Amino acid sequence: MPPLLALPFPAIDPVAVSIGPIEIKWYALSYIVGLIGGWFYARRLVQADSLWGVTTRPSLPDIDDLVVWVALGVVLGGRIGYVLFYNLPLYLDQPLEILAIRNGGMSFHGGFLGAILALLLFARARGLNGLTMLDIAAVVVPIGLFFGRIANFVNGELWGRPAPDFAYAVIFPTGGDVPRYPSQLFEAATEGLLLFIVMALAVWRYGFRKPGLLGGIFVLGYAVTRTFCEFFREPDRQLGFLFGRDVDALGGGITMGMLLCLPMAIVGLAAIVLAARGVTRPRREGPEIQAEAGQI
């Protein structure tokens, strides 16, 4: 008999759409919705003249092309990151499993690095400011994070730590007969919804006039919210808590997610400071700067 303080896991089919032999799972659909939502929002941002000042902005065709680059960066980076950070011994023994993405295994931090590389390469190829492209991505990424974490919950994966006294604990099919925190929903609410609101307010207040500022706010914000959620999320079984031998070590120890968020927080804070001091601001030339100096 399940504990009184626990909710049964909702019986949701992991396959969202099925047409003959073709199946689209909720997890894949979350990537699609996140990319389309981010693409639509990014187009609106580059059309808002009040947000840009003298900063060179990408064109609408640039945004259209960028989606493909970012999609490849996220998928490749997410998979490579999972292989390197979370389960390297397994993939060294079975290298063909690296290609079996259908079996799951994606790392946000890896996808994050892959997306950054794709953005910088795209900016260089189009003659755009790399920091500005990162700022645009920072504003729209929480959309994908929100839907991705909802999909994690639907799949019954990445569940939370045991929570016998939590009124809204959930018994997950693969988590044993133990009520657990629905940590995926905590992440959707913080990494997704809360960060989306923070970034929307930041872009309304500062626009894209200080390249790197919005990117820094997002990176720092994600590091903080992810670290918070790691206190409720069960560590990956093959890793457990770092610096210990099992998931009970150190009475709550450090997780890989926390460790990877530390350099993110440092980089994000540094980007905010540099952008706020005007170090990254583009130089203005010609009539505009002369007019400010009272020369014309």
Side-chain angles (χ1 to χ4, degrees):
M1 183 176 180
L4 294 178
L5 291 176
L7 301 174
F9 183 75
I12 304 175
D13 190 337
V15 178
V17 179
S18 179
I19 304 175
I22 301 176
E23 294 183 344
I24 301 178
K25 296 186 177 182
W26 286 107
Y27 196 69
L29 195 60
S30 71
Y31 273 78
I32 295 172
V33 173
L35 286 170
I36 293 177
W39 165 77
F40 179 79
Y41 190 18
R43 285 176 62 91
R44 296 291 299 271
L45 292 172
V46 300
Q47 289 178 297
D49 295 337
S50 61
L51 299 177
W52 293 91
V54 299
T55 303
T56 302
R57 73 183 91 174
S59 65
L60 292 180
D62 286 332
I63 296 298
D64 296 341
D65 295 339
L66 180 62
V67 172
V68 178
W69 289 61
V70 171
L72 289 173
V74 168
V75 172
L76 293 176
R79 186 58 175 174
I80 294 172
Y82 182 81
V83 170
L84 295 178
F85 300 148
Y86 290 94
N87 220 343
L88 183 59
L90 171 66
Y91 293 109
L92 289 177
D93 290 338
Q94 304 176 46
L96 291 180
E97 283 295 311
I98 296 175
L99 303 178
I101 298 180
R102 66 183 182 278
N103 295 332
M106 297 287 284
S107 161
F108 169 81
H109 295 88
F112 174 76
L113 293 175
I116 287 180
L117 180 60
L119 285 163
L120 294 177
L121 290 175
F122 181 85
R124 182 174 181 178
R126 298 295 175 93
L128 298 168
N129 187 315
L131 289 177
T132 298
M133 302 306 295
L134 293 175
D135 286 341
I136 295 173
V139 178
V140 306
V141 161
I143 298 173
L145 289 174
F146 175 81
F147 287 105
R149 294 311 184 190
I150 295 295
N152 289 148
F153 179 79
V154 170
N155 288 345
E157 61 189 4
L158 304 182
W159 20 260
R161 303 185 191 185
D165 299 323
F166 183 58
Y168 300 101
V170 175
I171 297 178
F172 292 94
T174 58
D177 189 21
V178 178
R180 297 178 177 276
Y181 288 111
S183 57
Q184 312 96 321
L185 301 183
F186 295 174
E187 292 186 83
T190 55
E191 301 167 12
L193 183 59
L194 177 60
L195 263 186
F196 178 82
I197 294 172
V198 169
M199 297 310 304
L201 292 174
V203 76
W204 173 78
R205 174 65 178 83
Y206 302 108
F208 296 93
R209 291 178 285 273
K210 296 181 178 181
L213 178 62
L214 297 176
I217 292 173
F218 169 78
V219 172
L220 178 60
Y222 179 83
V224 171
T225 54
R226 174 63 183 268
T227 300
F228 168 78
C229 290
E230 285 289 313
F231 285 102
F232 302 95
R233 175 173 165 173
E234 183 80 359
D236 292 79
R237 182 172 300 177
Q238 70 276 11
L239 292 177
F241 289 111
L242 304 184
F243 315 118
R245 285 178 281 183
D246 55 54
V247 295
D248 295 322
L250 301 181
I254 303 299
T255 66
M256 177 61 78
M258 292 177 179
L259 184 64
L260 294 175
C261 282
L262 179 59
M264 289 185 69
I266 295 173
V267 170
L269 184 60
I272 292 172
V273 172
L274 292 175
R277 291 181 175 178
V279 175
T280 63
R281 182 174 297 179
R283 296 180 179 179
R284 290 175 291 179
E285 300 177 354
E288 292 181 359
I289 193 168
Q290 292 177 11
E292 283 193 1
Q295 298 178 14
I296 60 174

